[in-house]
């Protein structure tokens, strides 16, 4: 597959526009839904994180990148944020590979707050590819851990904050085994919002 690359810095995530989303979805349309989503995300990270950062002597070589992904029991399409966990892991892996290719052997990505912010920003881009218009809550929670507060304010925009010392809670998590598509659910809410903004906005 051929990509036309933009001059993108890994310091800030590149949010895929509708045209790029359509091209990637078309390129992998022959694969089943979840497989296509994973391939789209990996291809995006490869094109926009890895390749722009690799020196010309690496990029001139014709080498293959083999990606092996294994799920450890987290159900896919069950509303548990598996796509966000995947995006965060794939984003972090891309940064780690850049480090291994560019730095001295044995170097690893220093997971300070700034690096986690970068990983989270790119993971959000992966979520856009999978879901269209995600809130960003799943990838932020997956990146930083703990309990995260989410507020969407019309004037201030989206705000995330860590909830310190959360109370102990007993949570019952049930897998209904009824698959759901976050992309379709988000699209339905958006359509409902446009039809009845005074009801949906509050």
């Amino acid at each position: 597959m051929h990509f036309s690359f933009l001059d993108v810095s890994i310091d800030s995530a590149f949010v895929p526009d509708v045209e790029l989303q359509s091209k990637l979805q078309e390129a992998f349309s022959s694969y089943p839904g979840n497989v296509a989503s994973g391939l789209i995300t990996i291809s995006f990270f490869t094109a926009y994180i890895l390749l722009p950062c690799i020196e010309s002597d690496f990029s001139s070589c014709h080498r293959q990148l083999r990606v092996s992904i294994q799920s450890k029991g987290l159900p896919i399409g069950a509303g548990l944020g598996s796509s966000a966990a995947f995006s965060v892991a794939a984003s972090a892996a891309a940064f780690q590979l850049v480090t291994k290719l560019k730095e001295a052997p044995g170097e690893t990505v220093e997971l300070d707050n700034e690096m986690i912010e970068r990983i989270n920003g790119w993971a959000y881009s992966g979520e856009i590819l999978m879901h269209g218009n995600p809130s960003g809550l799943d990838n932020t929670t997956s990146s930083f851990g703990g309990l995260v507060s989410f507020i969407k304010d019309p004037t201030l925009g989206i705000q995330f904050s860590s909830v310190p010392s959360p109370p102990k809670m007993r949570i019952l998590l049930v897998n209904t085994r009824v698959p759901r598509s976050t992309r379709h659910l988000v699209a339905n809410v958006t359509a409902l919002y446009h039809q009845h903004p005074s009801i949906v906005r509050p």
Side-chain angles (χ1 to χ4, degrees), residues 146-149 163-173:
L147 193 61
V148 178
S149 168
V163 178
S165 305
K168 288 186 177 179
M169 294 177 281
R170 300 181 81 181
I171 298 173
L172 180 63
L173 187 62

Side-chain angles (χ1 to χ4, degrees), residues 97-171:
L97 186 53
V98 167
T99 303
K100 285 189 178 297
L101 290 172
K102 294 186 77 172
E103 304 297 332
E107 289 266 343
T108 57
V109 170
E110 190 63 41
L111 278 181
D112 56 13
N113 212 52
E114 183 183 343
M115 178 51 73
I116 295 173
E117 285 283 1
R118 285 187 199 170
I119 290 168
N120 186 41
W122 283 98
Y124 178 68
S125 296
E127 284 284 88
I128 289 173
L129 288 169
M130 288 194 245
H131 302 309
N133 186 26
S135 67
L137 177 61
D138 286 359
N139 54 273
T140 301
T141 304
S142 190
S143 293
F144 290 95
L147 193 61
V148 178
S149 168
F150 167 77
I151 298 172
K152 188 172 184 179
D153 186 276
T155 53
L156 300 174
I158 296 175
Q159 296 178 307
F160 300 103
S161 58
S162 176
V163 178
S165 305
K168 288 186 177 179
M169 294 177 281
R170 300 181 81 181
I171 298 173

Side-chain angles (χ1 to χ4, degrees), residues 15-120:
V15 178
D17 59 21
V18 175
E19 183 181 355
L20 178 57
Q21 290 180 52
S22 298
K23 284 180 179 177
L24 286 167
Q25 286 169 9
E26 184 181 332
F28 295 101
S29 60
S30 62
Y31 292 89
N34 291 328
V35 175
S37 291
L39 290 171
I40 286 169
T41 305
I42 291 293
S43 297
F44 175 75
F45 289 158
T46 301
Y48 290 94
I49 297 177
L50 289 178
L51 293 183
C53 299
I54 297 173
E55 301 296 336
S56 58
D57 56 336
F58 284 109
S59 58
S60 64
C61 298
H62 296 285
R63 297 193 177 186
Q64 293 182 343
L65 176 67
R66 177 176 289 181
V67 179
S68 176
I69 301 163
Q70 291 182 334
S71 172
K72 294 297 183 183
L74 186 63
I76 296 172
L80 295 176
S82 59
S83 65
F86 171 76
S87 288
V88 170
S91 172
F95 277 103
Q96 181 67 53
L97 186 53
V98 167
T99 303
K100 285 189 178 297
L101 290 172
K102 294 186 77 172
E103 304 297 332
E107 289 266 343
T108 57
V109 170
E110 190 63 41
L111 278 181
D112 56 13
N113 212 52
E114 183 183 343
M115 178 51 73
I116 295 173
E117 285 283 1
R118 285 187 199 170
I119 290 168
N120 186 41

